[in-house]
Amino acid sequence: MNKMVKILALSCAMFASVGSAYAAEKLGYLVKQPEEPWFQTEWAFAEKAGKDMGFEVIKIAVPDGEKTLNAIDTLAAGGAKGFVICTPDPKLGPAIMAKANSLGLKVVTVDDQFVNAKGAPMTDVPLLMMAATKMGERQGQELYKEMKKRNWNVKDTGVLAITANELDTARRRTDGSMSALKAAGFPAGQIYTVPTKTNDIPGALDAANSMLVQHPNVKNWLVIGMNDNTVLGGVRATEGQGFKAANVIGVGINGVDAKNELSKSSATGFYGSLLPAPDVHGYQSIKMLHEWVANNKAPAKFTEVTDAVLITRDNYKDELKKKGL
Ligand code: GLA
């Protein structure tokens, strides 16, 4: 090869690599509640996966159905090949899949499972989620353990269980929590459930307030909810009604959403939180999608993430740091 041809070949190769950088794989990551550190953590680790594996992550907040369907159009128009989604409403599943299929986008669900028109889980769509029942059981066990440690009289103790039963993962967590408490010997008749209208602190606070006033004789409260914000709303309600931190035990789920609360200068009724693996959820879900898009390797229909650690005021810094959070 003469020098000229060599230079030509080299510049062609350079051009090709620039060209392929331009055509980098694009994948969406759509979440229902971007204000929750849980979802910010998923986003951050999805982006880490993108850096490690060479694809671009397009993060879009989808708080409702309209924004979700628009986001899918935006992704397709921008050349994305698929997306990971935690849907704002499981019932949107059929509409999301119809749109994604019509635009040729692959879909992986994270955290919350789609349901079809009949309310049955759409088991055909790949899903990565936490082990909801086990997580709930752990919440119940930790509450019971801490109640024993404080030597509370069970007779004077009530369970405030804030539910969100239309979301399957939430129902399984709170059901698990209540059954673990009963299994440990807590009287079923002292467990009071109340549904929250919205899965945030204000919604849970309202729900809890309406329940607390109905039980003026309860001296100590154990607070159950599907995630940190629900439990935080419950704890705020107990404070509003004059309960001291020493008479309230709340154990949340998510961990990352409890960081501010656990770092307060004095203890509150929010005792601790189960920290599962938002880092794994974010990284793995988009990795599965990437392998599907890039290598045609279809993901498993169901992936369950099981590990969780209880973080309290004593260990939260270390435990979060261990996970790079
Ligand atoms: C649901 C909850 C979130 C978080 C995830 C974890 O989506 O709304 O707060 O707990 O599950 O899977």
Side-chain angles (χ1 to χ4, degrees):
M1 224 190 304
N2 70 34
K3 210 171 164 193
M4 196 56 204
V5 174
K6 262 190 202 159
I7 290 169
L8 213 72
L10 199 70
S11 56
C12 277
M14 275 169 66
F15 186 76
S17 81
V18 169
S20 72
Y22 262 89
E25 180 182 317
K26 290 181 189 164
L27 302 174
Y29 204 115
L30 279 47
V31 304
K32 62 176 182 179
Q33 283 179 285
E35 73 285 359
E36 274 189 7
W38 173 271
F39 293 110
Q40 292 162 18
T41 309
E42 283 189 349
W43 268 349
F45 280 84
E47 285 188 313
K48 182 170 190 304
K51 279 209 188 86
D52 291 351
M53 286 166 253
F55 55 84
E56 185 188 332
V57 181
I58 301 162
K59 301 178 293 178
I60 309 180
V62 293
D64 59 40
E66 198 188 323
K67 292 214 169 68
T68 305
L69 297 178
N70 286 341
I72 301 172
D73 279 326
T74 307
L75 286 173
K81 293 284 181 279
F83 57 91
V84 172
I85 182 168
C86 179
T87 177
D89 180 352
K91 293 196 286 294
L92 288 169
I96 293 170
M97 290 314 294
K99 187 169 262 300
N101 288 336
S102 75
L103 296 167
L105 298 184
K106 294 188 162 61
V107 182
V108 169
T109 49
V110 70
D111 297 320
D112 299 356
Q113 188 170 31
F114 290 162
V115 297
N116 65 21
K118 291 188 178 131
M122 291 172 64
T123 49
D124 264 0
V125 186
L127 167 70
L128 183 145
M129 71 182 300
M130 70 164 72
T133 303
K134 271 189 220 141
M135 199 68 63
E137 287 168 352
R138 180 85 188 278
Q139 183 185 57
Q141 288 154 4
E142 297 294 348
L143 286 168
Y144 196 82
K145 219 196 283 174
E146 183 61 19
M147 176 188 77
K148 284 278 160 198
K149 209 167 128 201
R150 295 191 194 181
N151 279 317
W152 285 1
N153 192 339
V154 178
K155 216 166 54 16
D156 302 329
T157 303
V159 169
L160 168 62
I162 303 163
T163 61
N165 286 346
E166 54 300 329
L167 184 63
D168 191 62
T169 183
R171 182 185 54 75
R172 285 167 52 201
R173 292 177 211 178
T174 49
D175 280 358
S177 186
M178 291 185 272
S179 36
L181 277 164
K182 285 182 241 171
F186 194 90
Q190 287 162 229
I191 300 178
Y192 311 112
T193 61
V194 60
T196 177
K197 287 207 188 83
T198 53
N199 291 319
D200 51 16
I201 297 179
L205 176 86
D206 277 355
N209 270 330
S210 69
M211 176 53 67
L212 290 174
V213 293
Q214 295 177 43
H215 301 283
N217 297 328
V218 174
K219 291 198 185 113
N220 310 305
W221 285 105
L222 301 175
V223 186
I224 285 178
M226 72 110 154
N227 63 10
D228 287 331
N229 282 345
T230 329
V231 174
L232 282 168
V235 169
R236 294 289 94 88
T238 61
E239 289 163 352
Q241 299 198 21
F243 290 90
K244 299 268 172 298
N247 298 92
V248 178
I249 307 169
V251 171
I253 294 173
N254 278 3
V256 280
D257 304 2
K259 201 168 154 187
N260 286 345
E261 182 76 8
L262 295 175
S263 60
K264 285 183 175 169
S265 57
S266 52
T268 70
F270 189 94
Y271 168 65
S273 174
L274 294 164
L275 169 66
D279 50 337
V280 177
H281 285 220
Y283 198 97
Q284 284 300 331
S285 57
I286 205 150
K287 181 177 178 210
M288 279 162 34
L289 177 67
H290 164 68
E291 282 174 353
W292 198 4
V293 164
N295 309 323
N296 212 20
K297 185 172 169 267
K301 295 291 186 212
F302 184 62
T303 308
E304 199 176 46
V305 184
T306 51
D307 45 310
V309 52
L310 177 72
I311 58 171
T312 63
R313 292 166 63 80
D314 297 335
N315 68 348
Y316 77 94
K317 276 189 193 141
D318 289 345
E319 291 299 336
L320 289 168
K321 202 189 282 164
K322 270 190 217 164
K323 284 177 167 284
L325 297 170

